[in-house]
mmCIF file with all atom_site columns, all heavy atoms in Angstrom:
data_model
loop_
_atom_site.group_PDB
_atom_site.id
_atom_site.type_symbol
_atom_site.label_atom_id
_atom_site.label_alt_id
_atom_site.label_comp_id
_atom_site.label_asym_id
_atom_site.label_entity_id
_atom_site.label_seq_id
_atom_site.pdbx_PDB_ins_code
_atom_site.Cartn_x
_atom_site.Cartn_y
_atom_site.Cartn_z
_atom_site.occupancy
_atom_site.B_iso_or_equiv
_atom_site.pdbx_formal_charge
_atom_site.auth_seq_id
_atom_site.auth_comp_id
_atom_site.auth_asym_id
_atom_site.auth_atom_id
_atom_site.pdbx_PDB_model_num
ATOM 1   N N   . LEU A 1 21  ? 5.238   -2.953 6.059   1.00 0.00 ? 1368 LEU A N   1
ATOM 2   C CA  . LEU A 1 21  ? 6.101   -3.427 7.182   1.00 0.00 ? 1368 LEU A CA  1
ATOM 3   C C   . LEU A 1 21  ? 6.801   -2.341 7.957   1.00 0.00 ? 1368 LEU A C   1
ATOM 4   O O   . LEU A 1 21  ? 6.943   -2.408 9.189   1.00 0.00 ? 1368 LEU A O   1
ATOM 5   C CB  . LEU A 1 21  ? 7.113   -4.416 6.609   1.00 0.00 ? 1368 LEU A CB  1
ATOM 6   C CG  . LEU A 1 21  ? 6.589   -5.712 5.950   1.00 0.00 ? 1368 LEU A CG  1
ATOM 7   C CD1 . LEU A 1 21  ? 7.671   -6.518 5.330   1.00 0.00 ? 1368 LEU A CD1 1
ATOM 8   C CD2 . LEU A 1 21  ? 5.865   -6.590 7.033   1.00 0.00 ? 1368 LEU A CD2 1
ATOM 9   N N   . ALA A 1 45  ? -1.121  1.546  14.560  1.00 0.00 ? 1392 ALA A N   1
ATOM 10  C CA  . ALA A 1 45  ? -0.536  1.773  13.209  1.00 0.00 ? 1392 ALA A CA  1
ATOM 11  C C   . ALA A 1 45  ? -1.512  1.223  12.156  1.00 0.00 ? 1392 ALA A C   1
ATOM 12  O O   . ALA A 1 45  ? -1.708  1.889  11.144  1.00 0.00 ? 1392 ALA A O   1
ATOM 13  C CB  . ALA A 1 45  ? 0.823   1.011  13.126  1.00 0.00 ? 1392 ALA A CB  1
ATOM 14  N N   . SER A 1 66  ? -9.591  18.878 -5.289  1.00 0.00 ? 1413 SER A N   1
ATOM 15  C CA  . SER A 1 66  ? -9.908  20.097 -4.502  1.00 0.00 ? 1413 SER A CA  1
ATOM 16  C C   . SER A 1 66  ? -8.716  20.872 -4.071  1.00 0.00 ? 1413 SER A C   1
ATOM 17  O O   . SER A 1 66  ? -8.642  22.016 -4.164  1.00 0.00 ? 1413 SER A O   1
ATOM 18  C CB  . SER A 1 66  ? -10.736 19.593 -3.274  1.00 0.00 ? 1413 SER A CB  1
ATOM 19  O OG  . SER A 1 66  ? -11.047 20.706 -2.440  1.00 0.00 ? 1413 SER A OG  1
ATOM 20  N N   . VAL A 1 73  ? -14.523 20.738 -16.772 1.00 0.00 ? 1420 VAL A N   1
ATOM 21  C CA  . VAL A 1 73  ? -14.927 21.470 -18.070 1.00 0.00 ? 1420 VAL A CA  1
ATOM 22  C C   . VAL A 1 73  ? -15.596 20.464 -18.888 1.00 0.00 ? 1420 VAL A C   1
ATOM 23  O O   . VAL A 1 73  ? -15.400 19.221 -18.839 1.00 0.00 ? 1420 VAL A O   1
ATOM 24  C CB  . VAL A 1 73  ? -13.724 21.969 -18.774 1.00 0.00 ? 1420 VAL A CB  1
ATOM 25  C CG1 . VAL A 1 73  ? -12.965 23.027 -18.005 1.00 0.00 ? 1420 VAL A CG1 1
ATOM 26  C CG2 . VAL A 1 73  ? -12.701 20.866 -19.179 1.00 0.00 ? 1420 VAL A CG2 1
ATOM 27  N N   . ASP A 1 78  ? -14.250 23.710 -23.701 1.00 0.00 ? 1425 ASP A N   1
ATOM 28  C CA  . ASP A 1 78  ? -12.916 23.609 -24.365 1.00 0.00 ? 1425 ASP A CA  1
ATOM 29  C C   . ASP A 1 78  ? -12.987 22.439 -25.348 1.00 0.00 ? 1425 ASP A C   1
ATOM 30  O O   . ASP A 1 78  ? -12.530 21.309 -25.037 1.00 0.00 ? 1425 ASP A O   1
ATOM 31  C CB  . ASP A 1 78  ? -11.837 23.421 -23.390 1.00 0.00 ? 1425 ASP A CB  1
ATOM 32  C CG  . ASP A 1 78  ? -10.402 23.571 -24.019 1.00 0.00 ? 1425 ASP A CG  1
ATOM 33  O OD1 . ASP A 1 78  ? -10.214 23.308 -25.162 1.00 0.00 ? 1425 ASP A OD1 1
ATOM 34  O OD2 . ASP A 1 78  ? -9.516  23.946 -23.211 1.00 0.00 ? 1425 ASP A OD2 1
ATOM 35  N N   . SER A 1 92  ? -6.436  4.203  -26.244 1.00 0.00 ? 1439 SER A N   1
ATOM 36  C CA  . SER A 1 92  ? -5.911  3.434  -25.184 1.00 0.00 ? 1439 SER A CA  1
ATOM 37  C C   . SER A 1 92  ? -6.854  2.268  -24.835 1.00 0.00 ? 1439 SER A C   1
ATOM 38  O O   . SER A 1 92  ? -6.417  1.306  -24.129 1.00 0.00 ? 1439 SER A O   1
ATOM 39  C CB  . SER A 1 92  ? -5.709  4.255  -23.918 1.00 0.00 ? 1439 SER A CB  1
ATOM 40  O OG  . SER A 1 92  ? -7.072  4.759  -23.456 1.00 0.00 ? 1439 SER A OG  1
ATOM 41  N N   . LEU A 1 94  ? -9.581  2.551  -23.001 1.00 0.00 ? 1441 LEU A N   1
ATOM 42  C CA  . LEU A 1 94  ? -10.261 2.714  -21.720 1.00 0.00 ? 1441 LEU A CA  1
ATOM 43  C C   . LEU A 1 94  ? -11.778 2.498  -21.826 1.00 0.00 ? 1441 LEU A C   1
ATOM 44  O O   . LEU A 1 94  ? -12.346 2.866  -22.820 1.00 0.00 ? 1441 LEU A O   1
ATOM 45  C CB  . LEU A 1 94  ? -10.030 4.120  -21.160 1.00 0.00 ? 1441 LEU A CB  1
ATOM 46  C CG  . LEU A 1 94  ? -8.615  4.443  -20.562 1.00 0.00 ? 1441 LEU A CG  1
ATOM 47  C CD1 . LEU A 1 94  ? -8.538  5.846  -20.110 1.00 0.00 ? 1441 LEU A CD1 1
ATOM 48  C CD2 . LEU A 1 94  ? -8.257  3.474  -19.442 1.00 0.00 ? 1441 LEU A CD2 1
ATOM 49  N N   . ALA A 1 107 ? 1.596   27.816 -14.171 1.00 0.00 ? 1454 ALA A N   1
ATOM 50  C CA  . ALA A 1 107 ? 2.624   26.785 -14.331 1.00 0.00 ? 1454 ALA A CA  1
ATOM 51  C C   . ALA A 1 107 ? 2.280   25.806 -15.416 1.00 0.00 ? 1454 ALA A C   1
ATOM 52  O O   . ALA A 1 107 ? 0.996   25.679 -15.718 1.00 0.00 ? 1454 ALA A O   1
ATOM 53  C CB  . ALA A 1 107 ? 2.771   26.036 -12.984 1.00 0.00 ? 1454 ALA A CB  1
ATOM 54  N N   . LEU A 1 108 ? 3.195   25.120 -15.988 1.00 0.00 ? 1455 LEU A N   1
ATOM 55  C CA  . LEU A 1 108 ? 2.921   24.209 -17.040 1.00 0.00 ? 1455 LEU A CA  1
ATOM 56  C C   . LEU A 1 108 ? 2.998   22.778 -16.485 1.00 0.00 ? 1455 LEU A C   1
ATOM 57  O O   . LEU A 1 108 ? 4.127   22.288 -16.158 1.00 0.00 ? 1455 LEU A O   1
ATOM 58  C CB  . LEU A 1 108 ? 3.948   24.318 -18.193 1.00 0.00 ? 1455 LEU A CB  1
ATOM 59  C CG  . LEU A 1 108 ? 3.665   25.372 -19.242 1.00 0.00 ? 1455 LEU A CG  1
ATOM 60  C CD1 . LEU A 1 108 ? 3.616   26.794 -18.687 1.00 0.00 ? 1455 LEU A CD1 1
ATOM 61  C CD2 . LEU A 1 108 ? 4.747   25.344 -20.384 1.00 0.00 ? 1455 LEU A CD2 1
ATOM 62  N N   . ALA A 1 130 ? -2.356  26.910 -22.595 1.00 0.00 ? 1477 ALA A N   1
ATOM 63  C CA  . ALA A 1 130 ? -2.042  27.998 -23.452 1.00 0.00 ? 1477 ALA A CA  1
ATOM 64  C C   . ALA A 1 130 ? -0.701  27.891 -24.215 1.00 0.00 ? 1477 ALA A C   1
ATOM 65  O O   . ALA A 1 130 ? -0.518  28.443 -25.335 1.00 0.00 ? 1477 ALA A O   1
ATOM 66  C CB  . ALA A 1 130 ? -2.050  29.293 -22.687 1.00 0.00 ? 1477 ALA A CB  1
ATOM 67  N N   . ARG A 1 134 ? -1.397  21.479 -30.541 1.00 0.00 ? 1481 ARG A N   1
ATOM 68  C CA  . ARG A 1 134 ? -2.234  20.283 -30.430 1.00 0.00 ? 1481 ARG A CA  1
ATOM 69  C C   . ARG A 1 134 ? -1.480  18.991 -30.276 1.00 0.00 ? 1481 ARG A C   1
ATOM 70  O O   . ARG A 1 134 ? -1.864  18.144 -29.434 1.00 0.00 ? 1481 ARG A O   1
ATOM 71  C CB  . ARG A 1 134 ? -3.225  20.192 -31.625 1.00 0.00 ? 1481 ARG A CB  1
ATOM 72  C CG  . ARG A 1 134 ? -4.348  19.168 -31.466 1.00 0.00 ? 1481 ARG A CG  1
ATOM 73  C CD  . ARG A 1 134 ? -5.256  19.083 -32.615 1.00 0.00 ? 1481 ARG A CD  1
ATOM 74  N NE  . ARG A 1 134 ? -6.421  18.428 -32.342 1.00 0.00 ? 1481 ARG A NE  1
ATOM 75  C CZ  . ARG A 1 134 ? -6.625  17.102 -32.110 1.00 0.00 ? 1481 ARG A CZ  1
ATOM 76  N NH1 . ARG A 1 134 ? -5.585  16.306 -32.093 1.00 0.00 ? 1481 ARG A NH1 1
ATOM 77  N NH2 . ARG A 1 134 ? -7.845  16.606 -31.759 1.00 0.00 ? 1481 ARG A NH2 1
ATOM 78  N N   . GLY A 1 146 ? -2.176  7.086  -19.973 1.00 0.00 ? 1493 GLY A N   1
ATOM 79  C CA  . GLY A 1 146 ? -1.274  5.894  -19.793 1.00 0.00 ? 1493 GLY A CA  1
ATOM 80  C C   . GLY A 1 146 ? -1.199  5.502  -18.288 1.00 0.00 ? 1493 GLY A C   1
ATOM 81  O O   . GLY A 1 146 ? -1.257  4.344  -17.933 1.00 0.00 ? 1493 GLY A O   1
ATOM 82  N N   . VAL A 1 153 ? -2.360  5.413  -11.003 1.00 0.00 ? 1500 VAL A N   1
ATOM 83  C CA  . VAL A 1 153 ? -2.989  6.520  -10.156 1.00 0.00 ? 1500 VAL A CA  1
ATOM 84  C C   . VAL A 1 153 ? -3.406  5.947  -8.848  1.00 0.00 ? 1500 VAL A C   1
ATOM 85  O O   . VAL A 1 153 ? -3.125  6.555  -7.764  1.00 0.00 ? 1500 VAL A O   1
ATOM 86  C CB  . VAL A 1 153 ? -4.150  7.190  -10.920 1.00 0.00 ? 1500 VAL A CB  1
ATOM 87  C CG1 . VAL A 1 153 ? -4.697  8.297  -10.028 1.00 0.00 ? 1500 VAL A CG1 1
ATOM 88  C CG2 . VAL A 1 153 ? -3.651  7.753  -12.238 1.00 0.00 ? 1500 VAL A CG2 1
ATOM 89  N N   . ASN A 1 187 ? 11.859  -0.209 36.272  1.00 0.00 ? 1534 ASN A N   1
ATOM 90  C CA  . ASN A 1 187 ? 12.507  -0.266 37.575  1.00 0.00 ? 1534 ASN A CA  1
ATOM 91  C C   . ASN A 1 187 ? 13.532  -1.326 37.724  1.00 0.00 ? 1534 ASN A C   1
ATOM 92  O O   . ASN A 1 187 ? 14.267  -1.379 38.672  1.00 0.00 ? 1534 ASN A O   1
ATOM 93  C CB  . ASN A 1 187 ? 11.448  -0.359 38.673  1.00 0.00 ? 1534 ASN A CB  1
ATOM 94  C CG  . ASN A 1 187 ? 10.551  0.879  38.720  1.00 0.00 ? 1534 ASN A CG  1
ATOM 95  O OD1 . ASN A 1 187 ? 10.939  1.951  38.481  1.00 0.00 ? 1534 ASN A OD1 1
ATOM 96  N ND2 . ASN A 1 187 ? 9.243   0.567  39.103  1.00 0.00 ? 1534 ASN A ND2 1
ATOM 97  N N   . VAL A 1 204 ? 16.027  5.760  16.085  1.00 0.00 ? 1551 VAL A N   1
ATOM 98  C CA  . VAL A 1 204 ? 16.601  5.759  14.717  1.00 0.00 ? 1551 VAL A CA  1
ATOM 99  C C   . VAL A 1 204 ? 15.543  5.352  13.716  1.00 0.00 ? 1551 VAL A C   1
ATOM 100 O O   . VAL A 1 204 ? 15.425  5.932  12.700  1.00 0.00 ? 1551 VAL A O   1
ATOM 101 C CB  . VAL A 1 204 ? 17.817  4.793  14.650  1.00 0.00 ? 1551 VAL A CB  1
ATOM 102 C CG1 . VAL A 1 204 ? 18.252  4.641  13.241  1.00 0.00 ? 1551 VAL A CG1 1
ATOM 103 C CG2 . VAL A 1 204 ? 19.021  5.382  15.460  1.00 0.00 ? 1551 VAL A CG2 1
ATOM 104 N N   . PHE A 1 212 ? 12.966  6.686  4.395   1.00 0.00 ? 1559 PHE A N   1
ATOM 105 C CA  . PHE A 1 212 ? 12.850  5.456  3.631   1.00 0.00 ? 1559 PHE A CA  1
ATOM 106 C C   . PHE A 1 212 ? 11.586  5.310  2.810   1.00 0.00 ? 1559 PHE A C   1
ATOM 107 O O   . PHE A 1 212 ? 11.557  4.953  1.636   1.00 0.00 ? 1559 PHE A O   1
ATOM 108 C CB  . PHE A 1 212 ? 13.083  4.200  4.536   1.00 0.00 ? 1559 PHE A CB  1
ATOM 109 C CG  . PHE A 1 212 ? 14.430  4.114  5.141   1.00 0.00 ? 1559 PHE A CG  1
ATOM 110 C CD1 . PHE A 1 212 ? 14.617  3.453  6.338   1.00 0.00 ? 1559 PHE A CD1 1
ATOM 111 C CD2 . PHE A 1 212 ? 15.515  4.619  4.478   1.00 0.00 ? 1559 PHE A CD2 1
ATOM 112 C CE1 . PHE A 1 212 ? 15.827  3.307  6.909   1.00 0.00 ? 1559 PHE A CE1 1
ATOM 113 C CE2 . PHE A 1 212 ? 16.787  4.476  5.073   1.00 0.00 ? 1559 PHE A CE2 1
ATOM 114 C CZ  . PHE A 1 212 ? 16.964  3.830  6.279   1.00 0.00 ? 1559 PHE A CZ  1
ATOM 115 N N   . ALA A 1 219 ? 10.728  6.212  -5.943  1.00 0.00 ? 1566 ALA A N   1
ATOM 116 C CA  . ALA A 1 219 ? 11.238  5.085  -6.843  1.00 0.00 ? 1566 ALA A CA  1
ATOM 117 C C   . ALA A 1 219 ? 10.054  4.567  -7.700  1.00 0.00 ? 1566 ALA A C   1
ATOM 118 O O   . ALA A 1 219 ? 10.193  4.314  -8.926  1.00 0.00 ? 1566 ALA A O   1
ATOM 119 C CB  . ALA A 1 219 ? 11.835  4.024  -6.103  1.00 0.00 ? 1566 ALA A CB  1
ATOM 120 N N   . ALA A 1 230 ? 6.089   5.689  -22.690 1.00 0.00 ? 1577 ALA A N   1
ATOM 121 C CA  . ALA A 1 230 ? 5.972   4.691  -23.723 1.00 0.00 ? 1577 ALA A CA  1
ATOM 122 C C   . ALA A 1 230 ? 4.554   4.526  -24.207 1.00 0.00 ? 1577 ALA A C   1
ATOM 123 O O   . ALA A 1 230 ? 4.303   4.285  -25.399 1.00 0.00 ? 1577 ALA A O   1
ATOM 124 C CB  . ALA A 1 230 ? 6.522   3.311  -23.205 1.00 0.00 ? 1577 ALA A CB  1
ATOM 125 N N   . ALA A 1 233 ? 3.511   7.357  -26.500 1.00 0.00 ? 1580 ALA A N   1
ATOM 126 C CA  . ALA A 1 233 ? 3.956   7.198  -27.844 1.00 0.00 ? 1580 ALA A CA  1
ATOM 127 C C   . ALA A 1 233 ? 3.181   6.174  -28.612 1.00 0.00 ? 1580 ALA A C   1
ATOM 128 O O   . ALA A 1 233 ? 2.866   6.364  -29.791 1.00 0.00 ? 1580 ALA A O   1
ATOM 129 C CB  . ALA A 1 233 ? 5.479   6.750  -27.818 1.00 0.00 ? 1580 ALA A CB  1
ATOM 130 N N   . PRO A 1 255 ? 6.405   27.470 -10.412 1.00 0.00 ? 1602 PRO A N   1
ATOM 131 C CA  . PRO A 1 255 ? 6.024   26.290 -9.707  1.00 0.00 ? 1602 PRO A CA  1
ATOM 132 C C   . PRO A 1 255 ? 4.404   26.215 -9.660  1.00 0.00 ? 1602 PRO A C   1
ATOM 133 O O   . PRO A 1 255 ? 3.747   27.179 -9.812  1.00 0.00 ? 1602 PRO A O   1
ATOM 134 C CB  . PRO A 1 255 ? 6.498   26.485 -8.292  1.00 0.00 ? 1602 PRO A CB  1
ATOM 135 C CG  . PRO A 1 255 ? 6.579   27.991 -8.219  1.00 0.00 ? 1602 PRO A CG  1
ATOM 136 C CD  . PRO A 1 255 ? 6.905   28.556 -9.529  1.00 0.00 ? 1602 PRO A CD  1
ATOM 137 N N   . HIS A 1 285 ? 10.868  12.542 -10.335 1.00 0.00 ? 1632 HIS A N   1
ATOM 138 C CA  . HIS A 1 285 ? 10.730  12.165 -11.735 1.00 0.00 ? 1632 HIS A CA  1
ATOM 139 C C   . HIS A 1 285 ? 12.097  11.892 -12.413 1.00 0.00 ? 1632 HIS A C   1
ATOM 140 O O   . HIS A 1 285 ? 13.060  12.509 -11.927 1.00 0.00 ? 1632 HIS A O   1
ATOM 141 C CB  . HIS A 1 285 ? 10.019  13.299 -12.537 1.00 0.00 ? 1632 HIS A CB  1
ATOM 142 C CG  . HIS A 1 285 ? 8.572   13.536 -12.122 1.00 0.00 ? 1632 HIS A CG  1
ATOM 143 N ND1 . HIS A 1 285 ? 8.253   14.100 -10.839 1.00 0.00 ? 1632 HIS A ND1 1
ATOM 144 C CD2 . HIS A 1 285 ? 7.379   13.282 -12.701 1.00 0.00 ? 1632 HIS A CD2 1
ATOM 145 C CE1 . HIS A 1 285 ? 6.935   14.208 -10.718 1.00 0.00 ? 1632 HIS A CE1 1
ATOM 146 N NE2 . HIS A 1 285 ? 6.409   13.678 -11.831 1.00 0.00 ? 1632 HIS A NE2 1
ATOM 147 N N   . LEU A 1 303 ? 5.826   -0.206 -28.150 1.00 0.00 ? 1650 LEU A N   1
ATOM 148 C CA  . LEU A 1 303 ? 6.526   -0.481 -26.852 1.00 0.00 ? 1650 LEU A CA  1
ATOM 149 C C   . LEU A 1 303 ? 7.910   -1.005 -27.103 1.00 0.00 ? 1650 LEU A C   1
ATOM 150 O O   . LEU A 1 303 ? 8.926   -0.693 -26.344 1.00 0.00 ? 1650 LEU A O   1
ATOM 151 C CB  . LEU A 1 303 ? 5.734   -1.376 -25.987 1.00 0.00 ? 1650 LEU A CB  1
ATOM 152 C CG  . LEU A 1 303 ? 4.375   -0.861 -25.513 1.00 0.00 ? 1650 LEU A CG  1
ATOM 153 C CD1 . LEU A 1 303 ? 3.640   -1.945 -24.657 1.00 0.00 ? 1650 LEU A CD1 1
ATOM 154 C CD2 . LEU A 1 303 ? 4.477   0.430  -24.617 1.00 0.00 ? 1650 LEU A CD2 1
ATOM 155 N N   . ALA A 1 304 ? 8.076   -1.889 -28.077 1.00 0.00 ? 1651 ALA A N   1
ATOM 156 C CA  . ALA A 1 304 ? 9.369   -2.410 -28.425 1.00 0.00 ? 1651 ALA A CA  1
ATOM 157 C C   . ALA A 1 304 ? 10.357  -1.353 -28.877 1.00 0.00 ? 1651 ALA A C   1
ATOM 158 O O   . ALA A 1 304 ? 11.545  -1.398 -28.535 1.00 0.00 ? 1651 ALA A O   1
ATOM 159 C CB  . ALA A 1 304 ? 9.255   -3.520 -29.469 1.00 0.00 ? 1651 ALA A CB  1
ATOM 160 N N   . THR A 1 313 ? 19.990  4.627  -24.612 1.00 0.00 ? 1660 THR A N   1
ATOM 161 C CA  . THR A 1 313 ? 20.360  5.785  -23.795 1.00 0.00 ? 1660 THR A CA  1
ATOM 162 C C   . THR A 1 313 ? 20.716  5.418  -22.400 1.00 0.00 ? 1660 THR A C   1
ATOM 163 O O   . THR A 1 313 ? 21.150  6.248  -21.590 1.00 0.00 ? 1660 THR A O   1
ATOM 164 C CB  . THR A 1 313 ? 19.166  6.740  -23.743 1.00 0.00 ? 1660 THR A CB  1
ATOM 165 O OG1 . THR A 1 313 ? 17.993  6.166  -23.234 1.00 0.00 ? 1660 THR A OG1 1
ATOM 166 C CG2 . THR A 1 313 ? 18.846  7.319  -25.136 1.00 0.00 ? 1660 THR A CG2 1
#
Side-chain angles (χ1 to χ4, degrees):
L1368 293 175
S1413 177
V1420 298
D1425 193 331
S1439 65
L1441 285 180
L1455 276 60
R1481 194 183 194 286
V1500 180
N1534 296 323
V1551 170
F1559 291 154
H1632 296 72
L1650 294 176
T1660 59

